[in-house]
Amino acid sequence: MFGSSRSRHRITTALAGFALFATGAALQVGTAAAPAHAATTYRVLYDDGHAEEAGNADWIISTSKPDPLSEDSSPSSETDWTGALSSWGVALQKTGSYSLKTATSALTYGGSSTTDLSNFDALVLPEPNTLFTTAEKTAIMNFVKNGGGLFMVSDHTGADRNNDGEDAVEIFNDLMTNNSVDSTDPFGFSIDTLDISSGYPAAISDSTDPVLHGSFGTVTKSLIADGTTATLKPSDNSAVKGLLYRSGYSGNTGAFFATSTFGSGRVAFWGDSSPIDDGTGQSGNTLYDGWNDSGATNAALALNATAWLAGGGSSGGGGGGGGGTCTAAQLLGNPGFESGNTTWTASSGVITNSSSEAARTGSYKAWLDGYGSAHTDTLSQSVTIPSGCSATLSFYLHVDTAETTTSTAYDKLTVTAGSTTLATYSNLNAASGYVLKSIDVSSLAGTTATIKFTGVEGSTLQTSFVIDDTALNVS
C-alpha cells in the first residue's frame, strides 16, 4: 500500500510501438459459433479452394466434393477414392470415427454453409497456392482460437504451381502475420524460405507426445523431397514444439514438423507436401508415393496429427466445444499477456512490462489505473463458451493504493461478461501481493461473451489494479 499518489509511466520502450495498435484494432469475435465438439465422430474439412490441384498437385481426398462418400460410400482401399490424398482420407474413413468433407469455395466461420468452419473440428490446408482473403484469415484464426485444429502442410519456397506469384510458404506466413485476430507470431513459428532437396527428418524422443505416439502408430522419420522447415519462437508462444527435425538441427531451427496452440485450439505444421502424396490420383498428374515411403512413417504422422488436431488424441485444447458435450480447455488468448498488446482490447498502456508494478509471472501484466487522478481503463476479450460446459473465469489481482480509508470504495474495478456484472473490487481490497480470483461463469455456456475489466479511479490518490495469469477454463 502506498502512502501518496504517484506519477505513472505506463508505456515502456518495448510497448511503445504497440500503443496505436491497441487503440485502433480491437478484437471482436462477435457471435460466430465455436467449432462443435465431436462426441464420437471427428469432423475434418480439407481445403480445395486455393489452387490445391494446380500444376501436378492433386491434394484432394476425392474428386467427389464436398462429400467423398458420393464417390464410394464404403472405401476399402485408397483407390476407391481418387486423389493424391485418398490414402489419408480412406484411412480415417475406415476407422468409423471421422466425417470428412472438402471445401471448394471461400472459407467462412459462423455462416450457414455446410462447409462453414463452425461445423468442423479440424481444417487441413494441403499446400494452398493462392492467398487467403482478409475475411478468410479472420475466419481461420477465430476458428482455431475458439477450439478448432489447423493443419498447415507447406512445400518449398518457389513452389508456385499456378504462377500467381505466391507459394505456400508465403501464403502461410501471410496468414500468421497479416490477419485481424493476432498478427504477432500467434503460433510461435515462422516458415523458412528454403528449398531442401532431400532428407529424412527424425522424430524427437518423447514417448508421451500423442502425435509421435498415437493410435495410428509410432513416428520415427518423415521425408523431405523439396521442402522447407520452420523457425520456432517459444518466447512468443511457449506451446510451440518441434517434433521432427532436419538432420543436423534441433531446438528452434530446422523444425520439419511442429505443433502449437492458439487460444483453445491446436496447430500443426509440416514442411513438405511430398509425405502426404500417395502416388495415385487424377490422370495427367505426376505424383510421388511419399505416403508409403519405406524410409519414413508419414502415414502415422499424418493420421496421429489429424486425430490430435480434431480432439481425438490426448486431452487438452483443440477439438472445439459445444454440441452437448465438452472438451476441457482454456479459452482465453494471450492469458498471461506475454505476447504484449495482442488478442486483448485494452486502453493505451494497460498491457505493459513496466518495472513499476511486478508481473506475477513472466514480464507482462495488465495494469489498470494508478494515475492519482480521474481516469478509466478497460481490458476486454470476446470468447465463445461451448454449450454443455462448466466454465470458470480466474485471474490473479494485485491492488495497491494510496487511499487511507478503511470504509469507502473510491476507486473500483468491475468485471463484466456482456451486460452481467461478475465481480467488483476496490481500493479496500489492497494487498501486498497477487490474490487468485475465481468466478463461475457456467451460465454463459453456449454464448459468445465479452469478458471486460473496467477500472475507474477517482480524482485524487492513486489505486492500481494489476491483473495477470488469466484463464477461462471449461470442463
Side-chain angles (χ1 to χ4, degrees):
M1 182 177 292
F2 291 78
S4 60
S5 62
R6 58 191 172 87
S7 173
R8 175 138 179 230
H9 301 285
R10 292 173 145 285
I11 306 178
T12 66
T13 301
L15 277 180
F18 286 111
L20 291 177
F21 175 83
T23 57
L27 168 66
Q28 290 296 333
V29 174
T31 59
H37 174 60
T40 57
T41 301
Y42 303 101
R43 299 153 306 164
V44 182
L45 181 67
Y46 288 80
D47 182 50
D48 186 31
H50 297 85
E52 282 90 351
E53 296 180 67
N56 279 319
D58 195 43
W59 308 141
I60 56 174
I61 56 173
S62 169
T63 52
S64 176
K65 310 164 196 173
D67 190 354
L69 296 181
S70 295
E71 183 176 10
D72 190 316
S73 61
S74 183
S76 59
S77 69
E78 63 93 3
T79 54
D80 291 335
W81 288 356
T82 305
L85 306 189
S86 61
S87 287
W88 189 349
V90 169
L92 293 174
Q93 182 65 35
K94 288 171 66 177
T95 68
S97 297
Y98 290 83
S99 173
L100 311 176
K101 296 290 187 293
T102 299
T104 58
S105 56
L107 296 170
T108 61
Y109 179 51
S112 59
S113 168
T114 58
T115 56
D116 185 84
L117 291 174
S118 63
N119 298 318
F120 295 91
D121 300 296
L123 168 65
V124 179
L125 301 176
E127 197 197 334
N129 252 250
T130 59
L131 288 167
F132 297 104
T133 66
T134 298
E136 286 181 309
K137 288 185 286 187
T138 299
I140 294 168
M141 296 299 292
N142 278 334
F143 168 71
V144 180
K145 178 177 178 290
N146 290 331
L150 177 63
F151 205 153
M152 301 191 295
V153 181
S154 186
D155 202 6
H156 62 89
T157 190
D160 180 9
R161 297 180 184 272
N162 60 344
N163 299 312
D164 69 344
E166 306 291 344
D167 56 41
V169 173
E170 296 167 317
I171 291 163
F172 284 136
N173 282 333
D174 177 72
L175 169 65
M176 295 184 288
T177 62
N178 185 26
N179 68 79
S180 66
V181 178
D182 187 338
S183 292
T184 57
D185 195 22
F187 305 153
F189 65 85
S190 59
I191 302 175
D192 304 323
T193 54
L194 297 174
D195 183 351
I196 306 164
S197 61
S198 62
Y200 284 95
I204 64 171
S205 178
D206 185 348
S207 61
T208 66
D209 190 274
V211 175
L212 298 179
H213 299 273
S215 60
F216 292 96
T218 297
V219 176
T220 57
K221 290 185 177 182
S222 186
L223 164 75
I224 299 179
D226 286 313
T228 189
T229 54
T231 297
L232 311 187
K233 302 173 186 177
S235 61
D236 293 340
N237 186 329
S238 61
V240 71
K241 179 181 181 181
L243 298 188
L244 290 96
Y245 284 85
R246 180 185 179 189
S247 179
Y249 291 80
S250 62
N252 294 335
T253 59
F256 183 61
F257 196 104
T259 58
S260 188
T261 63
F262 175 61
S264 55
R266 296 169 171 175
V267 179
F269 158 79
W270 206 340
D272 195 358
S273 55
S274 295
I276 59 173
D277 185 343
D278 65 22
T280 67
Q282 298 174 88
S283 176
N285 292 325
T286 302
L287 302 173
Y288 171 80
D289 190 1
W291 185 266
N292 297 301
D293 190 289
S294 60
T297 48
N298 294 316
L301 181 54
L303 297 169
N304 285 344
T306 307
W308 178 74
L309 290 167
S314 67
S315 62
T325 59
C326 187
T327 296
Q330 193 291 109
L331 303 183
L332 292 178
N334 191 18
F337 309 105
E338 294 306 309
S339 295
N341 224 329
T342 66
T343 308
W344 295 91
T345 298
S347 300
S348 178
V350 163
I351 298 177
T352 177
N353 62 356
S354 168
S355 59
S356 297
E357 283 285 359
R360 178 179 176 270
T361 59
S363 301
Y364 288 87
K365 66 275 172 182
W367 182 0
L368 291 82
D369 298 329
Y371 288 97
S373 59
H375 188 81
T376 298
D377 275 330
T378 60
L379 171 76
S380 65
Q381 183 176 150
S382 292
V383 61
T384 299
I385 302 175
S387 299
C389 287
S390 297
T392 301
L393 172 68
S394 65
F395 54 92
Y396 283 84
L397 175 65
H398 169 51
V399 181
D400 74 45
T401 187
E403 301 284 0
T404 58
T405 179
T406 59
S407 59
T408 305
Y410 290 113
D411 312 309
K412 295 182 179 180
L413 175 72
T414 304
V415 186
T416 58
S419 60
T420 302
T421 298
L422 302 176
T424 301
Y425 309 98
S426 73
N427 49 280
L428 300 177
N429 298 110
S432 59
Y434 282 90
V435 178
L436 176 63
K437 306 294 183 181
S438 296
I439 305 168
D440 186 350
V441 292
S442 300
S443 62
L444 300 173
T447 70
T448 296
T450 297
I451 304 299
K452 186 175 184 179
F453 299 85
T454 302
V456 179
E457 192 172 21
S459 59
T460 61
L461 299 180
Q462 75 86 25
T463 297
S464 295
F465 300 101
V466 192
I467 299 165
D468 204 358
D469 297 326
T470 67
L472 205 166
N473 289 308
V474 297
S475 61

